[in-house]
Amino acid sequence: KIKLDDQLQSATKKASEPMVLKVGDSIVRKKEFNRRFKEYQSRPEAAGLTHSDQKKRFLEQLHKHYAILEDSRSSGLEKQSEFREKLEDFQFKVFLTELLRQQIKPIDLTDLKSYYEENKSLFEVDEVHSFDVLESNKPAVLQEINSISKFEKSLLTKKKLSNQSESQIPVQFLKVLRSASVGKLTAVLPFEGRYFLLKKTADSLKVHSPLKNVAPFIQSTLTFQRIRMLLSKLSNPLKFEFDVTLNSEGVYLVKDEIVTQHYLGLARSVLPKDFFLKAEENQDELRDLAMEFDLLFRKYKASPLQYSESVHREVGFKSEAYREQLVVEFKRKELLSQAVVGDKELKSYYEAHKDKFVKSVGRWVSHIFVKERSKALKVLNLALDDPKGFSQLAKEHSEHPTTKLHGGDMRYLDNSEVTKQMHGVAETLKEGEVHPELISGINSNGYHILRYVKTVPGKVSSFLEVKDRLRELLLKDEHNKLLMAFVKRVMTKYPAKVDN
């Protein structure tokens, strides 16, 4: 009752707001108008307009928008199953997003540190040992050292190993080091034909991955735990309300309806990817999640006020915005399906606009590539003396393995070898002209000599070559015409009443 009273008060307050615009049954009140107008003012299209012109343009857009919505309602578009399914899927995603956002505490550094300390064994990467070692090829020599005093005074070579990783210690040594007491000697140990006596000098220490390295793992683990706990807590009471059962095949039924994977699939676009990586470790977990998502959304659709007012408000607000967007999208599709362009119309347009289908004019350029500068200068002089013999010079002197076979024709040159400088030079040359200077190659590797052979004339593409592209162009044009005519019609049918 308290929630319902709050709803009534909120609705009464909203209804008392001044009405700015009315189109059909759609009403835009002052607060909503100001919010939307502020968004419009931040768009590039509003820049440079006076405040008065901004309002005029914005009102026109609102009128157009709501006229389309009103027409779509009356035409039954929103009753189509595809429309309803898309809208409901969107509502579920907003509902789940807001439910988790508002009820799950964000994970902070304190949470990460606490989990790290409580579960430190999970992050153990090594264990290190500190000990001294005496070595001999005769076991009897080491067996005579039976006290710490003799160990310290021994003339045998002594190695002091501090914080030695287990991966670097022989297995025979590890076994005794783990059980030995600090300051005590071990038994004589054989290893690879030699004998060793060890004295443990400090307790072994466990080495753990630093917190910064394991923080992402902890973050995803805590996120999974908190989401999972909330979903279970909210859905458990609903299992009795909606008569949930598990059949002999291990499939959940809610009110005798089989629970599908539909909402589980939608949840994948809402929840973190790591959440599902953990959930997929157990197939029963995924099955339970599918059932819980189904129950929670069933309850929301049946009694939205059972959830918090803020969740219900966000779902309503965002769903209404999406519904409007969906109406326009469906209307565009409908108009697009009405746009038709026949072959006769295509042919007629092609004949009247052939100049639009001319392939671009091209330049035919040749080059000679020489690695050594002095040789390149000699070849350049020969080319300048006899530009017409450029092709023969390329075959004789060019050091480019591919283009020399084709008289230096750059059409056989890889695009990666053509520099901006070469492009720039080609644009300055006349037909038959050789550039009077050497051009450095890629990374200053060698030199190019360029000659502009001739201009390749443009060619008109045939009707068959452009038919598909032309149909797409004219269909788009036809669709725009249909859309403009539709907008004009609905704006006339649903005039805007404005409180100036």
Side-chain angles (χ1 to χ4, degrees):
K1 184 177 183 303
I2 292 169
K3 286 185 176 182
L4 183 58
D5 285 343
D6 287 343
Q7 288 281 303
L8 288 169
Q9 286 178 18
S10 176
T12 304
K13 186 178 178 182
K14 185 177 178 181
S16 65
E17 276 186 53
M19 183 184 73
V20 177
L21 176 76
K22 188 172 190 295
V23 181
D25 292 329
S26 298
I27 295 173
V28 181
R29 299 191 180 277
K30 187 177 179 181
K31 190 175 178 180
E32 175 70 4
F33 178 85
N34 287 338
R35 183 187 67 78
R36 290 197 179 200
F37 182 56
K38 192 173 182 181
E39 288 176 2
Y40 170 78
Q41 285 179 303
S42 65
R43 296 179 194 169
E45 64 198 79
L49 296 176
T50 65
H51 189 72
S52 176
D53 285 341
Q54 284 179 344
K55 280 197 173 181
K56 286 177 184 176
R57 294 274 182 90
F58 178 61
L59 276 169
E60 186 181 345
Q61 286 189 13
L62 277 185
H63 179 195
K64 186 190 301 181
H65 177 76
Y66 283 108
I68 292 172
L69 290 180
E70 287 296 312
D71 186 78
S72 299
R73 285 196 193 100
S74 63
S75 67
L77 183 149
E78 296 180 37
K79 294 179 181 178
Q80 292 180 22
S81 58
E82 185 186 355
F83 185 97
R84 292 200 310 273
E85 286 167 11
K86 279 196 170 189
L87 183 58
E88 190 170 287
D89 287 353
F90 179 82
Q91 286 173 334
F92 169 77
K93 289 193 275 190
V94 177
F95 163 72
L96 184 59
T97 301
E98 291 303 320
L99 192 66
L100 300 180
R101 185 180 67 81
Q102 294 182 29
Q103 296 203 34
I104 292 182
K105 175 181 170 284
I107 295 161
D108 56 24
L109 185 58
T110 305
D111 297 323
L112 296 177
K113 286 180 177 176
S114 177
Y115 186 91
Y116 180 77
E117 293 301 329
E118 290 171 11
N119 300 275
K120 215 164 185 179
S121 61
L122 293 175
F123 312 114
E124 184 181 319
V125 291
D126 200 359
E127 191 168 350
V128 294
H129 303 268
S130 298
F131 55 97
D132 295 344
V133 184
L134 291 179
E135 179 182 351
S136 175
N137 56 1
K138 296 178 180 178
V141 174
L142 295 175
Q143 287 167 354
E144 290 177 2
I145 303 172
N146 54 11
S147 69
I148 296 296
S149 175
K150 288 181 180 180
F151 186 93
E152 298 297 344
K153 292 177 181 177
S154 174
L155 298 177
L156 294 172
T157 302
K158 187 186 296 176
K159 287 184 182 177
K160 289 182 174 292
L161 300 170
S162 180
N163 292 331
Q164 193 79 356
S165 170
E166 286 199 340
S167 61
Q168 298 173 313
I169 302 173
V171 176
Q172 296 92 321
F173 292 6
L174 279 177
K175 287 179 179 178
V176 293
L177 283 170
R178 285 170 179 163
S179 58
S181 301
V182 177
K184 300 293 184 181
L185 300 179
T186 67
V188 175
L189 304 170
F191 180 66
E192 294 183 348
R194 303 278 291 172
Y195 297 90
F196 302 85
L197 182 63
L198 281 60
K199 184 187 83 168
K200 190 169 181 176
T201 57
D203 286 324
S204 58
L205 297 171
K206 294 186 184 297
V207 179
H208 301 88
S209 289
L211 175 60
K212 66 177 183 180
N213 290 356
V214 296
F217 168 79
I218 299 175
Q219 174 93 24
S220 65
T221 301
L222 288 175
T223 300
F224 177 82
Q225 289 176 354
R226 291 184 183 185
I227 292 175
R228 203 67 201 83
M229 196 179 299
L230 176 67
L231 294 175
S232 296
K233 175 186 169 185
L234 295 175
S235 62
N236 279 338
L238 303 179
K239 291 177 184 177
F240 302 98
E241 183 179 336
F242 288 98
D243 191 24
V244 177
T245 55
L246 190 65
N247 67 18
S248 57
E249 296 173 0
V251 176
Y252 277 114
L253 289 92
V254 177
K255 288 189 173 180
D256 296 328
E257 294 176 13
I258 291 177
V259 174
T260 68
Q261 301 283 304
H262 183 68
Y263 292 126
L264 185 67
L266 294 175
R268 287 181 182 274
S269 65
V270 173
L271 298 177
K273 186 179 179 182
D274 288 347
F275 176 87
F276 282 100
L277 290 177
K278 288 189 179 295
E280 284 163 359
E281 293 172 6
N282 183 342
Q283 285 302 309
D284 287 348
E285 192 79 67
L286 290 175
R287 181 194 65 188
D288 291 348
L289 279 169
M291 177 267 295
E292 289 170 9
F293 289 140
D294 186 292
L295 287 178
L296 292 170
F297 196 50
R298 274 177 190 263
K299 185 62 179 177
Y300 177 77
K301 287 190 292 183
S303 307
L305 294 181
Q306 289 294 320
Y307 295 91
S308 71
E309 165 62 20
S310 52
V311 168
H312 180 50
R313 183 176 62 248
E314 285 300 313
V315 174
F317 175 72
K318 291 177 180 175
S319 296
E320 180 61 20
Y322 181 72
R323 185 184 67 80
E324 294 173 4
Q325 177 188 325
L326 209 54
V327 163
V328 176
E329 179 190 320
F330 270 64
K331 200 65 197 179
R332 280 183 177 276
K333 283 183 183 178
E334 183 186 310
L335 291 172
L336 187 59
S337 67
Q338 295 172 12
V340 179
V341 179
D343 285 356
K344 187 177 179 180
E345 191 176 348
L346 291 174
K347 185 71 174 175
S348 176
Y349 186 91
Y350 171 78
E351 294 296 338
H353 302 87
K354 273 190 177 180
D355 56 314
K356 291 186 177 181
F357 307 106
V358 177
K359 290 181 179 176
S360 61
V361 174
R363 292 184 178 87
W364 179 0
V365 182
S366 292
H367 83 131
I368 298 171
F369 175 70
V370 181
K371 293 180 182 177
E372 203 269 316
R373 182 176 173 80
S374 59
K375 181 183 174 183
L377 286 169
K378 289 177 184 177
V379 177
L380 174 61
N381 288 328
L382 291 172
L384 290 169
D385 287 341
D386 181 19
K388 291 184 179 179
F390 194 90
S391 177
Q392 188 59 37
L393 283 173
K395 290 177 181 177
E396 293 174 4
H397 301 287
S398 182
E399 295 172 21
H400 193 282
T402 306
T403 60
K404 71 176 294 180
L405 302 174
H406 303 280
D409 192 335
M410 280 179 63
R411 288 176 295 183
Y412 295 91
L413 189 66
D414 189 277
N415 284 336
S416 63
E417 298 176 79
V418 183
T419 65
K420 287 184 179 180
Q421 187 184 5
M422 291 164 75
H423 274 296
V425 167
E427 289 179 0
T428 66
L429 299 175
K430 298 175 183 176
E431 277 197 16
E433 187 180 3
V434 175
H435 185 60
E437 296 176 9
L438 296 176
I439 301 167
S440 294
I442 297 288
N443 298 324
S444 301
N445 175 35
Y447 301 90
H448 294 272
I449 300 161
L450 291 194
R451 178 177 182 250
Y452 187 0
V453 182
K454 65 178 181 179
T455 300
V456 179
K459 177 190 171 187
V460 177
S461 299
S462 70
F463 175 68
L464 289 176
E465 287 177 309
V466 301
K467 185 179 178 181
D468 290 341
R469 183 159 54 95
L470 186 56
R471 186 185 299 280
E472 191 177 315
L473 177 72
L474 293 187
L475 275 173
K476 188 176 180 181
D477 188 48
E478 182 66 19
H479 177 238
N480 287 336
K481 287 178 184 176
L482 286 170
L483 188 60
M484 286 173 66
F486 166 73
V487 169
K488 187 177 179 180
R489 177 173 61 79
V490 295
M491 287 179 76
T492 304
K493 184 177 178 182
Y494 300 98
K497 295 177 183 177
V498 182
D499 184 332
N500 291 305

